[in-house]
Amino acid sequence: MDKLVKTSLMVLFLTCSTILSAQTGKTTLKIVHYNVGVFSKEIENSIPMIAGMMKELDADVISLNELDSCNLRHDTYQLRDFAEEMGGWDYRFVNALPYKGGAYGVGVCSRDRIISSGEIHLDRYDGSETRACCIVETEKYVLATTHLDYKTPGSSLNQARDLNRELKARYGNSGKPVFLCGDMNTRPDSETIAEFRKEWTQLSGTDFTISAKNPQGCIDYVFLLNNGVKCKVRHYEVPMTFENGGDVTVASDHLPVFVEVEF
């Protein structure tokens, strides 16, 4: 499809979605999950590029995995820098493990003001690294992001069980939609994803998300907690092309996952 035509159709779709939501009194939320690979998998600093990609998607909230914070690899607070590049968005970071004099972890960047936040630190079990979950709450929704262990299936399965238990205990009676995003490091037919589906509805599809250069597997997801709050998926995609110069093949080793929901 011609790039100009594709861009025009995307703008028309987003405009119509906004108008429809205003008329029905419902809320639309554009969620992006992205393992950004410490913003430096292929180029020195992909923060400006990825921020431009997120603006093109008109994202409302972004789940981010693999973030450095003031360590010897990147002597800066990457999530803060990204939030500033997004125009001063609100954000929260959770340290998953100490790394080279600083930290490495996960975070959320939100267009809406974050009214509360929390964290869950997951056991390693027989995995290779400690893992964490960052949770933010706005007036409209709750969103959590995590990055599970990759070393053994048993480790990620146990971490999924822990997340199910903890997040259901905290938000099972919430009147807001509760989303869980993450690089789960496991395929859709795995025991880990089956465990998540006991408490969550998978909103994202199974399009391949890794590697960015040669996609061959889906390991990145967006879920909705089964707490009685209904959401309708209006649009889902794993974006491969951007008009503003964003190049997914060098921005990270993962591809972003975009889900627009209505509630």
Side-chain angles (χ1 to χ4, degrees), residues 42-55:
E42 295 280 340
I43 57 179
E44 184 175 346
N45 178 16
S46 63
I47 288 176
M49 177 187 289
I50 291 178
M53 293 158 61
M54 298 302 100
K55 291 175 184 177

Side-chain angles (χ1 to χ4, degrees), residues 34-136:
Y34 205 176
N35 181 329
V36 294
V38 294
F39 291 111
S40 62
K41 285 293 184 179
E42 295 280 340
I43 57 179
E44 184 175 346
N45 178 16
S46 63
I47 288 176
M49 177 187 289
I50 291 178
M53 293 158 61
M54 298 302 100
K55 291 175 184 177
E56 185 172 324
L57 291 173
D58 195 28
D60 293 311
V61 61
I62 307 164
S63 153
L64 297 156
N65 289 172
E66 294 197 16
L67 299 170
D68 274 349
S69 178
C70 305
N71 57 41
L72 294 178
R73 179 167 58 188
H74 292 107
D75 188 18
T76 186
Y77 189 178
Q78 286 190 325
L79 185 54
R80 177 202 61 196
D81 297 347
F82 178 75
E84 290 176 355
E85 195 74 31
M86 289 299 296
W89 282 20
D90 209 351
Y91 61 93
R92 294 292 186 276
F93 171 80
V94 171
N95 176 359
L97 70 156
Y99 185 80
K100 293 187 175 182
Y104 169 87
V106 298
V108 178
C109 192
S110 170
R111 185 194 301 271
D112 295 317
R113 184 175 70 88
I114 297 170
I115 60 175
S116 67
S117 60
E119 55 191 68
I120 301 170
H121 291 272
L122 301 170
D123 288 338
R124 286 178 56 184
Y125 293 100
D126 53 354
S128 59
E129 297 175 337
T130 57
R131 300 286 171 161
C133 177
C134 174
I135 310 162
V136 304

Side-chain angles (χ1 to χ4, degrees), residues 1-12 56 240-248:
M1 181 182 292
D2 181 82
K3 288 185 177 181
L4 180 59
V5 174
K6 181 178 179 181
T7 302
S8 299
L9 289 174
M10 185 64 176
V11 170
L12 179 61
E56 185 172 324
M240 298 290 292
T241 59
F242 290 85
E243 304 302 319
N244 65 0
D247 183 349
V248 295

